[in-house]
Every structure is written in structure tokens, then in C-alpha cells.
Amino acid sequence: MNTKHDADTVNRATENSRSNVLIYTEKLSKSFSVGGVQQHVLRNVDLEIYDGDFTVIMGPSGAGKSTLLYALSGMDSASLGRIVVDGTDITDYSPDKLARFRRTTCGFVFQKIELLDGMSIHDNAMAMGLLAGGNRREVAKRADELFDQVGIDAATRGKAPGMLSGGEAQRAAIVRATIHSPKVLFADEPTGQLNSEYGTKVLDLMSAINERGQSILMVTHDQRSAARANRILYLRDGAIHGELQLARWHNGVDETTRMDQLATFLAEMGW
């Protein structure tokens, strides 16, 4: 178990040897002023996220988890440092260029299900695919394939989000987030408002799309959710203090042993 983050090693690997690095940062920092006092949310974060991984960021409240997620996805700006996504340096992108980058490269799933209630879930997905530049016929075909994969039938696809259960709506949100085949799916507490049954269905779906090659970066407090990842990063006081590598999730995996490994790691991190 590796519980020490070596920034020099990360930088050497980033520049030289890892061909599957999807996202990396150099000295990423974020701060803001509150009442004249400088608050440091992220502190010189050197990080690599690998293509095809299911990576989870954990840590106590206020550690900077969501801030890091939003910085990596271009939804928030950093104060200092560098962010490279899929070989492109987005550090100094303008807001308009960041918006175009997010539409084509990123997918997003949040705790609050951000679907437009004035249209059906099928139209929600179609709108995202078309906004990303897809052909209408191809987007419609992919939408149907994805809804089939997540177990949402044709009749339900015609309903507005408010008419669905929480689990159905979150699965529809994942369809919308992945319809344009993003390089990385960013998820912020995607099961946070779901009961155990619906949460498990959403996690099963995320595990399945990761098995098909979708890179996922997720923030969560939930250990059951985190146990689906093959890599867990622990953030405290705006810096990465350790990481845990796990075998990739698959049907029939020994979940008890996996949860024990995660619990031991979190205890070492002071969780």
C-alpha cells in the first residue's frame, strides 16, 4: 500500500514515461480571501489521473475535494499551477474556451440531479449530444443504446425527470453525461441523495461503464462508493496525503476484503 505521495516521481512520470496519463497537475493551488484573510483550499497539488481508471478522491469536509474536481474539469479556475487534460494545457483557457472544452471532453454527474425538468430525459440526453457537436441521427442512436444499457425503457424515456425515482433520474443523468463519449466522467457525490438500493444500481452502472473503458474521477464520502474504484486518493488540508491501489472491480469481487482494505487505509490517513 502506497500512502506517501512523491511529487518528484509524479513529475518525472508525467513528462517522461506514462503514456496513459489523462490528467496531470503541477503545483496546483487555489486560494481566496475571506474578510481580508487568505484561505488556502489547494496547496501545490502534483497529481496524475490515468486513462481508464476509476479514481476516487476522499477526505474530510473542507479538504478541497470538490474544488480539486472542479479545477480539473475546468469548472473553476486555479490560483497557481498547471492543468493538462488529454494532452492539452487548459491552465490559461478563457471562459469560452473552457466551456467548449467541457462540452467535448468532460461529462458531469452531481449529487443534485441536474436534469432539465421541462423536457423528457431522452431530450435531456439528446440536447447534450447535439451541444457537443454530434449528428442528430447518431446522437439519437447512441441515446437509445445507452438507455437500454442502464435499464430505462422507451416509455420511461419520454417522461420528465420529476416523474422518475431518484435512481432512475441519476441513471438518466449518467446517460446524458456520457452520450458524447467524454474522455473523463467527473462525479461529485453521485449517490449522496439516493437510498441504498438506488445507490447500488448507480454504482453498478458506473462500474460497468468503467469496465468498458470510461475514465471516472469521483468525489465521495461514502466508503461503499469509494470501494468501486481501483485508486483512492486521500486529500487533507488541500494536499494529497496518501493513496490506495485496489484491484479493478468486477462481478464476484470479494467486497468484504475490499472494504477492510479501504477501512485500514482511511484509519491510517486519520479518517
Side-chain angles (χ1 to χ4, degrees), residues 122 125-126 136-154 157 171-172 174-176 178-181 205 208-209 212:
H122 185 272
M126 286 289 297
R136 177 172 289 276
R137 180 176 294 180
E138 293 174 354
V139 171
K141 180 181 178 182
R142 178 159 171 79
D144 287 338
E145 290 172 349
L146 289 172
F147 279 118
D148 285 343
Q149 290 172 14
V150 304
I152 294 180
D153 61 30
R157 297 169 203 177
R171 280 182 281 153
I174 292 173
V175 170
R176 185 192 61 177
T178 57
I179 193 167
H180 57 304
S181 302
L205 172 58
I209 63 174
R212 294 194 291 269

Side-chain angles (χ1 to χ4, degrees), residues 110-125:
F110 303 100
Q111 179 174 348
K112 182 181 178 183
I113 300 169
E114 302 285 353
L115 294 170
L116 299 175
D117 212 30
M119 61 175 68
S120 69
I121 59 171
H122 185 272
D123 287 346
N124 266 272

